[in-house]
Amino acid sequence: MKKNIFLTLILFATLSSCKSFNFQINEPIMIDSLDCPENGTCNLELLPNKSIEFKSDEFGNLYPVISDGDKTLFQYTFQKNPLKNTEDSNYTEIIYAELPSEITEVSITNEELQNVKLYFGRLCYCKGATGYYAIKNGEFKISKASKDSITFKVDFKITEVPQIISTIHQTVSLK
């Protein structure tokens, strides 16, 4: 009987340790995302020792202030290819999240998304439809993909402005 309890505890501890993880990032990581719309480029950056704060200008528009800190900044950027011979055709979407310095498994939804300061930015010459917005409808997950890699999965919807990127599914090697 004692042997069965002991084996059960070892099995439980082994299975529990397989799911939990924590990674510390010491150097910036930047990777090009293959999961990107055809008409642009996407990249994901993990920036250690940074923090982000969103401030308001005199018109009430939000803008990010990135500074040195004790967090890891997640930044996903989509840049649409500009139209040839067309001025002001630049279009960028940015998704930010502020993660702890030790990245662990996370699964949060909706209002909880502000626990990681999940924000969407739409930057373009789009009168009245540009700026930064808190993401309040969606899901943000970090999970272990292998011994030295993690997977980010973000699904979200913004109601304030149109968006092209609504899903991010990216595995990052931390070697």
Side-chain angles (χ1 to χ4, degrees), residues 94-162:
I94 302 175
I95 294 87
Y96 287 113
E98 186 182 73
L99 308 174
S101 60
E102 282 194 7
I103 298 174
T104 60
E105 188 170 54
V106 170
S107 181
I108 54 176
T109 59
N110 300 331
E111 293 298 323
E112 294 174 324
L113 296 172
Q114 288 311 296
N115 293 344
V116 295
K117 298 182 185 177
L118 192 64
Y119 277 79
F120 171 82
R122 183 175 194 242
L123 310 173
C124 56
Y125 185 68
C126 312
K127 292 182 181 179
T130 188
Y132 289 90
Y133 305 92
I135 298 173
K136 299 176 185 169
N137 185 10
E139 180 178 45
F140 183 87
K141 287 186 178 184
I142 301 173
S143 58
K144 184 175 180 178
S146 70
K147 180 183 173 197
D148 295 317
S149 63
I150 56 177
T151 297
F152 292 94
K153 185 171 185 208
V154 186
D155 288 304
F156 67 98
K157 179 73 177 141
I158 291 292
T159 57
E160 294 87 347
V161 294

Side-chain angles (χ1 to χ4, degrees), residues 21-25 29 46 143-152 171-175:
F21 65 90
N22 53 346
F23 289 104
Q24 181 90 28
I25 297 172
I29 295 174
L46 294 174
S143 58
K144 184 175 180 178
S146 70
K147 180 183 173 197
D148 295 317
S149 63
I150 56 177
T151 297
F152 292 94
T171 299
V172 177
S173 175
L174 302 174
K175 280 190 190 183

